[in-house]
Amino acid sequence: MPSIIFPQWHDKATGFFSSSGVKLKEAKESAGTFVDEVTKDTRSNVAEVAGRVGTMVKNRWALLQQPSTRHAVQDRLISAAATTGVFLRKGLSETKDKVVVGKSKVEEVAKITAQKSKTILTDIERWQKGVASTDVFGVPIEVTVQRQDCSKPIPQILLNCADYLVLSGLNTPYLFKYEGEKKVIHQLISRYNQDLNASVPEGTNPVDIAALAKCYLACLPEPLTTFELYNEIKGARSSIYSMRNILKKLPSVNYMTLEFVTALLLRVSQKSLLNKMDVRNLALEVAPIIMWQKEQRPDFYSQYLNQISKSPSKKSLDPPPGSVSEFDLLADDGEAIVASSPIPLDDGTPVDFGAIEVVQLLIEHHNAIFTDANETVWR
């Protein structure tokens, strides 16, 4: 069945399509015109920019080609290179100086370490083998006398100490009482262990020299009076005649050295008004290092021989000035004391009154006891 189309709608549709076609045609023409214009503007802009860039490059290149500009650039490059070279040379110089300083410090430390190592190894070797071939301390007295080049059968170290004290130290207060400077005594011990004929350094404190002599005597493997004759000598302390006969049993080196040491102590006691050391005080200080038993050797001085592995305590090294001696602290008033018996103190050190009386007798009656000995002559 054919469709029925109303006349009014037919006319409107025809008019709509006709107007739409006209509008589409106009839009197409407008868009084409717009695109043509944009393309033309773009081409114009690109050409303008390219021209400006080219002009700028030509101007800069022309500027660089000018002699003044070229010299300025070269100067700047040379200046920059010179500055860089200065910095490099300065850096290298500082580095070299630091290397030299570091090398010097390393060499210094190496030398110190080598010296300490050598000293330690020497001490270790000495104690492993007993004593070194040049040692004086801790060596039997007869061995020391055999080694030295001296006409007297007395250790050279004692001769040197005595000469030094007689010439410049007899008036020194508390001679043979104070223990001296530990560091100085260590140095003197090392000096004589390296050279048994070494001289006493000038300017040394007489107290240190007296302490050195005591240290040498205390470090002997056997006391001057010997272990064998200890009881006989101690028993003869009340008789000059008996003491004279007993001492003749001593070996020649021991006898001559004992005579020499007690002669020195006699000289010191003759200056007691100045040095405060009379015969009794000297006997108190020296008896324990001249005469002792096997179980009672003076350990304090022996510590100097082992200064690497064992250092003396500060208490034993630095007694306060004016301190009371062990003899003054033995007993309360009225307490009976047997003079011949050792009395242990609080620190375990026995005081042998018999030995003290023996040394006191040897000092006071030196010339009467050592009648057949060569008279000691001081320089």
Side-chain angles (χ1 to χ4, degrees):
M1 181 175 178
S3 61
I4 300 174
I5 302 175
F6 295 96
Q8 59 271 23
W9 290 107
H10 182 268
D11 294 337
K12 288 181 179 182
T14 302
F16 172 78
F17 285 116
S18 297
S19 60
S20 296
V22 173
K23 290 181 180 180
L24 287 173
K25 185 177 180 179
E26 292 177 354
K28 179 179 178 182
E29 292 176 355
S30 298
T33 302
F34 178 76
V35 170
D36 291 339
E37 292 178 355
V38 168
T39 302
K40 291 179 180 180
D41 291 340
T42 302
R43 288 175 180 175
S44 178
N45 291 336
V46 169
E48 183 179 358
V49 170
R52 290 180 180 179
V53 171
T55 303
M56 187 181 298
V57 171
K58 289 180 180 180
N59 293 336
R60 294 292 175 88
W61 178 253
L63 181 64
L64 290 175
Q65 293 299 317
Q66 295 179 3
S68 59
T69 305
R70 198 167 11 182
H71 291 323
V73 172
Q74 290 177 354
D75 291 341
R76 289 186 180 181
L77 290 175
I78 293 172
S79 177
T83 303
T84 304
V86 170
F87 284 134
L88 288 174
R89 284 193 297 271
K90 184 178 180 181
L92 290 174
S93 178
E94 291 178 352
T95 303
K96 184 178 180 180
D97 293 340
K98 290 181 180 179
V99 170
V100 171
V101 172
K103 183 179 179 182
S104 300
K105 290 184 178 180
V106 170
E107 290 177 351
E108 182 179 356
V109 172
K111 288 180 180 178
I112 295 175
T113 303
Q115 186 62 35
K116 290 183 177 179
S117 300
K118 182 179 179 181
T119 302
I120 293 173
L121 290 174
T122 301
D123 290 329
I124 292 174
E125 182 181 6
R126 176 181 291 119
W127 289 107
Q128 286 178 341
K129 296 182 179 180
V131 291
S133 60
T134 59
D135 279 0
V136 172
F137 287 77
V139 178
I141 189 170
E142 64 274 9
V143 175
T144 300
V145 171
Q146 289 174 0
R147 290 175 179 171
Q148 67 188 24
D149 183 15
C150 180
S151 59
K152 293 183 178 180
I154 301 170
Q156 186 65 48
I157 183 174
L158 292 179
L159 295 173
N160 292 350
C161 289
D163 287 340
Y164 188 89
L165 293 176
V166 170
L167 290 174
S168 59
L170 292 180
N171 297 336
T172 305
Y174 301 106
L175 203 62
F176 286 99
K177 180 177 179 64
Y178 289 159
E179 305 303 344
E181 182 81 23
K182 180 178 71 172
K183 182 178 179 180
V184 174
I185 296 174
H186 282 170
Q187 293 173 347
L188 292 172
I189 289 175
S190 298
R191 181 185 180 92
Y192 278 99
N193 274 339
Q194 294 174 7
D195 181 8
L196 56 85
N197 295 311
S199 59
V200 176
E202 294 184 6
T204 307
N205 190 336
V207 171
D208 296 328
I209 299 304
L212 178 68
K214 291 172 64 178
C215 182
Y216 170 76
L217 293 172
C219 291
L220 291 173
E222 190 172 2
L224 288 180
T225 55
T226 71
F227 295 132
E228 181 181 358
L229 296 179
Y230 173 84
N231 291 325
E232 291 187 57
I233 293 175
K234 189 174 180 179
R237 66 185 182 279
S238 59
S239 170
I240 296 176
Y241 176 79
S242 299
M243 182 64 69
R244 184 192 306 135
N245 292 331
I246 294 297
L247 292 182
K248 290 179 181 179
K249 297 181 181 181
L250 289 172
S252 176
V253 173
N254 294 57
Y255 182 85
M256 296 299 297
T257 303
L258 183 62
E259 185 276 329
F260 181 80
V261 170
T262 51
L264 173 62
L265 297 176
L266 177 61
R267 287 294 300 272
V268 174
S269 68
Q270 292 170 351
K271 298 285 187 177
S272 60
L273 292 178
L274 297 174
N275 59 37
K276 315 298 181 184
M277 296 299 290
D278 57 15
V279 173
R280 182 64 176 176
N281 287 332
L282 289 169
L284 282 169
E285 298 299 329
V286 179
I289 63 174
I290 288 180
M291 185 176 181
W292 77 84
Q293 293 177 289
K294 288 184 179 181
E295 305 299 329
Q296 300 170 3
R297 67 170 297 118
D299 292 331
F300 167 70
Y301 289 97
S302 298
Q303 295 179 22
Y304 280 106
L305 287 177
N306 199 10
Q307 53 187 287
I308 297 298
S309 60
K310 182 179 180 182
S311 298
S313 65
K314 182 175 179 58
K315 180 178 178 182
S316 61
L317 284 173
D318 302 317
S323 60
V324 181
S325 66
E326 295 92 338
F327 181 76
D328 298 324
L329 298 175
L330 292 179
D332 297 331
D333 294 339
E335 183 179 351
I337 299 177
V338 179
S340 61
S341 61
I343 299 179
L345 301 180
D346 293 338
D347 60 357
T349 303
V351 175
D352 191 342
F353 282 98
I356 293 173
E357 291 177 356
V358 167
V359 175
Q360 185 172 348
L361 178 69
L362 297 180
I363 298 173
E364 288 181 335
H365 302 281
H366 176 272
N367 295 335
I369 294 174
F370 298 97
T371 54
D372 57 346
N374 296 327
E375 182 180 0
T376 299
V377 178
W378 307 105
R379 294 181 182 178

